[in-house]
Short mmCIF file of all heavy atoms in Angstrom, two decimals:
data_model
loop_
_atom_site.label_atom_id
_atom_site.label_comp_id
_atom_site.label_asym_id
_atom_site.label_seq_id
_atom_site.Cartn_x
_atom_site.Cartn_y
_atom_site.Cartn_z
N SER A 1447 -45.94 -9.74 -13.18
CA SER A 1447 -46.95 -10.18 -12.22
C SER A 1447 -47.81 -11.30 -12.78
O SER A 1447 -48.28 -11.22 -13.94
CB SER A 1447 -47.82 -8.99 -11.82
OG SER A 1447 -48.94 -9.42 -11.11
N LYS A 1448 -48.06 -12.33 -11.99
CA LYS A 1448 -48.96 -13.44 -12.43
C LYS A 1448 -50.41 -12.98 -12.38
O LYS A 1448 -51.25 -13.33 -13.22
CB LYS A 1448 -48.77 -14.63 -11.54
CG LYS A 1448 -49.65 -15.80 -12.01
CD LYS A 1448 -49.40 -17.09 -11.20
CE LYS A 1448 -50.22 -18.24 -11.75
NZ LYS A 1448 -50.01 -19.48 -10.99
N ALA A 1449 -50.76 -12.14 -11.40
CA ALA A 1449 -52.14 -11.77 -11.21
C ALA A 1449 -52.65 -10.84 -12.29
O ALA A 1449 -53.79 -10.90 -12.74
CB ALA A 1449 -52.31 -11.12 -9.83
N ALA A 1450 -51.83 -9.90 -12.70
CA ALA A 1450 -52.23 -8.87 -13.63
C ALA A 1450 -52.20 -9.36 -15.05
O ALA A 1450 -51.34 -10.16 -15.44
CB ALA A 1450 -51.28 -7.64 -13.47
N SER A 1451 -53.11 -8.86 -15.85
CA SER A 1451 -53.11 -9.20 -17.28
C SER A 1451 -53.78 -8.07 -18.04
O SER A 1451 -54.55 -7.29 -17.50
CB SER A 1451 -53.89 -10.51 -17.54
OG SER A 1451 -55.23 -10.39 -17.15
N ASP A 1452 -53.47 -8.00 -19.35
CA ASP A 1452 -54.09 -6.99 -20.17
C ASP A 1452 -55.43 -7.51 -20.69
O ASP A 1452 -55.89 -8.56 -20.31
CB ASP A 1452 -53.14 -6.55 -21.29
CG ASP A 1452 -52.91 -7.66 -22.30
OD1 ASP A 1452 -53.55 -8.73 -22.20
OD2 ASP A 1452 -52.05 -7.43 -23.17
N GLU A 1453 -56.06 -6.75 -21.59
CA GLU A 1453 -57.39 -7.15 -22.05
C GLU A 1453 -57.36 -8.47 -22.81
O GLU A 1453 -58.36 -9.18 -22.89
CB GLU A 1453 -57.95 -6.04 -22.95
CG GLU A 1453 -58.27 -4.74 -22.21
CD GLU A 1453 -58.81 -3.66 -23.11
OE1 GLU A 1453 -58.91 -3.90 -24.31
OE2 GLU A 1453 -59.16 -2.59 -22.57
N ALA A 1454 -56.20 -8.83 -23.37
CA ALA A 1454 -56.07 -10.08 -24.11
C ALA A 1454 -55.64 -11.23 -23.16
O ALA A 1454 -55.42 -12.33 -23.65
CB ALA A 1454 -55.10 -9.94 -25.28
N GLY A 1455 -55.52 -10.94 -21.85
CA GLY A 1455 -55.14 -11.97 -20.91
C GLY A 1455 -53.65 -12.22 -20.81
O GLY A 1455 -53.24 -13.17 -20.19
N LYS A 1456 -52.87 -11.33 -21.43
CA LYS A 1456 -51.39 -11.53 -21.32
C LYS A 1456 -50.86 -10.95 -20.01
O LYS A 1456 -51.39 -9.96 -19.50
CB LYS A 1456 -50.71 -10.80 -22.46
CG LYS A 1456 -51.08 -11.35 -23.85
CD LYS A 1456 -50.44 -10.48 -24.96
CE LYS A 1456 -50.83 -10.97 -26.31
NZ LYS A 1456 -50.27 -10.13 -27.42
N PRO A 1457 -49.85 -11.60 -19.41
CA PRO A 1457 -49.27 -11.08 -18.16
C PRO A 1457 -48.65 -9.70 -18.42
O PRO A 1457 -48.18 -9.40 -19.49
CB PRO A 1457 -48.18 -12.12 -17.84
CG PRO A 1457 -48.56 -13.32 -18.53
CD PRO A 1457 -49.24 -12.85 -19.83
N VAL A 1458 -48.66 -8.88 -17.38
CA VAL A 1458 -48.12 -7.57 -17.53
C VAL A 1458 -46.94 -7.34 -16.58
O VAL A 1458 -46.75 -8.10 -15.61
CB VAL A 1458 -49.19 -6.45 -17.27
CG1 VAL A 1458 -50.36 -6.61 -18.21
CG2 VAL A 1458 -49.67 -6.45 -15.83
N CYS A 1459 -46.16 -6.31 -16.83
CA CYS A 1459 -44.99 -6.02 -15.98
C CYS A 1459 -45.19 -4.74 -15.21
O CYS A 1459 -45.99 -3.86 -15.60
CB CYS A 1459 -43.76 -5.89 -16.90
SG CYS A 1459 -43.11 -7.49 -17.44
N ALA A 1476 -48.44 -2.73 -11.85
CA ALA A 1476 -48.47 -3.75 -12.88
C ALA A 1476 -49.41 -3.32 -13.96
O ALA A 1476 -50.61 -3.38 -13.79
CB ALA A 1476 -48.91 -5.12 -12.28
N ARG A 1477 -48.89 -2.86 -15.08
CA ARG A 1477 -49.74 -2.22 -16.08
C ARG A 1477 -49.21 -2.27 -17.53
O ARG A 1477 -49.86 -1.75 -18.43
CB ARG A 1477 -49.95 -0.77 -15.71
CG ARG A 1477 -48.70 0.04 -15.49
CD ARG A 1477 -48.95 1.52 -15.55
NE ARG A 1477 -48.92 1.93 -16.98
CZ ARG A 1477 -49.16 3.17 -17.36
NH1 ARG A 1477 -49.49 4.12 -16.47
NH2 ARG A 1477 -49.09 3.54 -18.66
N ASP A 1479 -47.76 -4.47 -20.93
CA ASP A 1479 -47.67 -5.75 -21.55
C ASP A 1479 -46.27 -6.26 -21.62
O ASP A 1479 -45.37 -5.56 -22.15
CB ASP A 1479 -48.30 -5.66 -22.96
CG ASP A 1479 -48.45 -7.01 -23.65
OD1 ASP A 1479 -47.92 -7.99 -23.10
OD2 ASP A 1479 -49.05 -7.07 -24.70
N ILE A 1573 -54.85 -6.01 -7.90
CA ILE A 1573 -55.71 -6.02 -9.11
C ILE A 1573 -57.18 -5.78 -8.65
O ILE A 1573 -57.57 -6.17 -7.58
CB ILE A 1573 -55.66 -7.38 -9.81
CG1 ILE A 1573 -54.21 -7.73 -10.08
CG2 ILE A 1573 -56.48 -7.39 -11.11
CD1 ILE A 1573 -53.42 -6.69 -10.85
N GLU A 1580 -55.28 0.82 -9.42
CA GLU A 1580 -55.26 -0.48 -10.06
C GLU A 1580 -53.86 -0.97 -10.35
O GLU A 1580 -53.07 -0.29 -10.96
CB GLU A 1580 -56.04 -0.39 -11.42
CG GLU A 1580 -55.95 -1.66 -12.28
CD GLU A 1580 -56.73 -2.81 -11.70
OE1 GLU A 1580 -57.53 -2.62 -10.76
OE2 GLU A 1580 -56.55 -3.93 -12.21
#
Side-chain angles (χ1 to χ4, degrees):
S1447 168
K1448 183 177 183 180
S1451 61
D1452 65 7
E1453 293 180 357
K1456 297 176 182 176
V1458 303
C1459 283
R1477 54 160 278 177
D1479 187 351
I1573 308 307
E1580 172 70 14

